[in-house]
Amino acid sequence: MSANGPRPRRATVHDVAVVAGVSRGTISRYVNGDPYVSASAREAIEAAIAQVGYVPNTAARHLVMQRTESIAFIVHEPHSLFVDDPNIGGILLGANAALSDADHQMAVLIVDSERDTDRVARYLSGGAVDGAIIVSARANDPVGRVVERLKLPAAFVGHPPGATSAAFVVIDNRGSARTITERLLATGRRRVGMIAAALDRDSGSERLAGFTDALGARFDPDLVEPVPLYSYSSGRTAMEALLRRHPEIDGVFAASDAVAAGAMEALRAAGRSVPGDVGVVGFDDSAWAGRTLPPLSTVRQPAEDLGRHAAALVLGQLRGESPPREVLLECEVIWRESA
Amino acid sequence: MSANGPRPRRATVHDVAVVAGVSRGTISRYVNGDPYVSASAREAIEAAIAQVGYVPNTAARHLVMQRTESIAFIVHEPHSLFVDDPNIGGILLGANAALSDADHQMAVLIVDSERDTDRVARYLSGGAVDGAIIVSARANDPVGRVVERLKLPAAFVGHPPGATSAAFVVIDNRGSARTITERLLATGRRRVGMIAAALDRDSGSERLAGFTDALGARFDPDLVEPVPLYSYSSGRTAMEALLRRHPEIDGVFAASDAVAAGAMEALRAAGRSVPGDVGVVGFDDSAWAGRTLPPLSTVRQPAEDLGRHAAALVLGQLRGESPPREVLLECEVIWRESA
DNA sequence: TTGTACGCGTTATCAT
DNA sequence: ATGATAACGCGTACAA
C-alpha cells in the first residue's frame, strides 16, 4: 500500500547555500555555532535549512573532524548477561544518561560470536567511535587487545582479567560481603557458612574474602562450600552438602541471589525454616530476591552508577585527563526477611 | 603506571601504498576483494598492511560508499524494558545474529530522554546507519517520524501505534491467547476468568480478544478484570477482586506471567490451591514462570525469532525487495503444573 | 562578516 | 593489472 518511492536524496550544505543565497562556509559556521554570522544570513539559513530538511552528514563530519562524538558500549557473553543478569540494564541506562548529558551518542555493540569479534574489532579500529565502555571482558579478549593497541580511551565495568592499563569501575565485593555477613552475625547466628561461587572470577573470590574478614577468628573453612556457577541449582546442591556436613548450621551467606534461592529450596526440603532455623542472605538484589519466601536480605549493586562512572571515565580521558585506574563503588544492604 | 603515550596516528591507504610500493588504487582493490590484483602485488600489500597495522577508516568509507553497513536497533522506554521485559534480550540477540550473518554491524541506540530523541534523530538523519529496527515504538514517536520521512528501511518489533507504512513483526497474541485458554478449558474448568492488562496496548487487547474467542458463547464479561499494567501487584489485587465477585471461579488466564504470579499469591492467601481449586495460566514464559509454586503454564514468545525476522525485513529492503507489511509469529504453549 | 580553496581517507572511473 | 584523479560532504585557514 505504501507509496514506497525512491529514497529522497539527502540535502547537503550546497543545497542550503543555494537556497539561502550564501556560501557553504557560512552555512557551516552557522551550524557549528560560530558567532561570526550576520543576523540576515542567519535568518536566510534557518529558513533554507527548514525548507530543504538539511542535517549534516555524519560520515563527512567524522572524516574531517577526526572524531565521532559517539562511544561504544561493548557487551560479551550476552546470553547469560541479557537473560539473567539484572544489572546490565541499569549499567546501560546509567552509561547512556551520562553520555547523553555530554551530548555523546552511545552505541551498544554485542559480541556473540567469532564473527562479531572481528567485526567489532574492525569497527573500533576504523575509528567509528571515540572511546569504549566494556562490560564483562574475558581473559585475553581480542576486543580488549584492540582497544589497548589503539590506545582507545576506555573503561571497563568489572575487573578486566588481563592486567590492562585501562581504567575500570567495580563494586566493592569484599567490603559488601563483609558488611552483610556481619549483619547476619549480629542476628545471633553461631554457625554461619557460605556458599561461595565462581571462585575463579574476581567477584567470587572477593566475596569469599569479605566473608572471612567478617568471621575473623571464628572462620571455619569446612563451613564454606564452593560451587562453580552463580546458579539456582548450584545453591541447592551446595546447601544439601552443607546440611549433611553441618546439621547445626544456622546461617548462610550465598554468593548470589540465585544461589540463595536454591539454598532456601534445599532448606525447605530439609524442613528447616527461614529465618527461624537458619538465616540466609544473598548478593545482587536481582529479581530472585523479591520472589523467594520469605524475601531475601541481600546486597544491592548500584548498577546505574557503575554505568555512569564508566562513562565519566571515558569522557574524562577524551578531555585529556588521566583517569584513576580504579573506581570502587559501595553497595547498599537490603534487609528483608530471610535473615 | 601505564605509559599513556599519545594516541598513535592511524595508518592510511597512503602509508600502505608507500611501504608496498604500489598505488593507492591497488591497495583499495585488494582490500575490497577485486580480482584484478597480481600475486606479487598481493603479497607486498599483505606484508605492508600487517607492518603498518592498517584498517580502513570507517568514516571515509561511508562517505564515498554512501552506506555504512550498519543498522540501528532502537529501544524506547528502556526502564521498563531492560529491567522487566524478559524478551528484549532475546530480540537483541536474534537481530544481532541475523545482521552478523549478513556482515552488518548492529548499533543499539537507547532513547531515554528528550535529549536522546533529538540526538538519535540527528544520528539517523545524518546517515550513520542504513536501516533501523525499532522496538516498542510509541504513538506519535519523533524517531518513527524521522524514519518515515527519510524513508529509511525499517522494521518494527510490535505493532507501531501510528499507522506507519513500515513493516513490522509481531507475535500472534490473539491466537496464542485463544490456544492457551482452550487448553485451560480442556482441563475441565467451568468458570474461567481473565485478568486483562494494558488494554490500551495492542498486545493487551489482542490477548483479551483471544480469550473471548476461546470462550465463545460461554464468555462472561464480569469474569474479566482489567488492570492497567503487566505487573505482579496488579495481578494480586485483580485476583482478589475476582474472588470477591466470583468465589466459584476455577480458572484464570493472566495476561502476563508477572500478573499470574500476583494472582497465585492472592489465591494462596485466600486458601485456594493451584491447580487443585483453580487453574492458572500466564503469558511470556518469563523468569516468573519457573519460580512460581507450582511452575506456571504459559505461552513462550519466540523472542530471538522476532529479532531475526525484524533484521531480515530490514536487510531485504536494503536489497530492494519490498517486504511483507506484517510478519506474524506463532508462540509455543508451555504446559507446566499450574493448570 | 563572508567567500574560496584545501584536505580528511576512501572508492571508482578512466586511461594506460 | 595498475596508476592518476575525481568525487563523497564537511570544517576551516586564509584572503578579502
Side-chain angles (χ1 to χ4, degrees), chain B residues 51-132:
Chain B
Q51 182 185 326
V52 304
Y54 168 74
V55 177
N57 178 287
T58 318
R61 228 187 155 115
H62 293 173
L63 182 57
V64 66
M65 310 239 297
Q66 299 293 64
R67 50 186 186 144
T68 66
E69 224 89 292
S70 75
I71 90 108
F73 186 105
I74 303 171
V75 29
H76 300 245
E77 307 192 72
H79 276 99
S80 67
L81 266 171
F82 276 110
V83 178
D84 299 336
D85 192 319
N87 293 305
I88 181 71
I91 299 174
L92 221 51
L93 294 177
N96 187 60
L99 292 175
S100 189
D101 285 348
D103 254 309
H104 280 237
Q105 177 60 52
M106 178 176 88
V108 183
L109 309 180
I110 297 185
V111 179
D112 189 27
S113 67
E114 190 81 18
R115 228 174 150 158
D116 286 347
T117 305
D118 294 348
R119 199 164 20 68
V120 167
R122 283 202 313 272
Y123 194 77
L124 298 179
S125 308
V129 296
D130 299 340

Side-chain angles (χ1 to χ4, degrees), chain A residues 23 26 29 36-38 63-64 66:
Chain A
S23 79
T26 305
R29 280 188 282 268
Y36 295 111
V37 179
S38 67
L63 182 56
V64 63
Q66 298 292 65

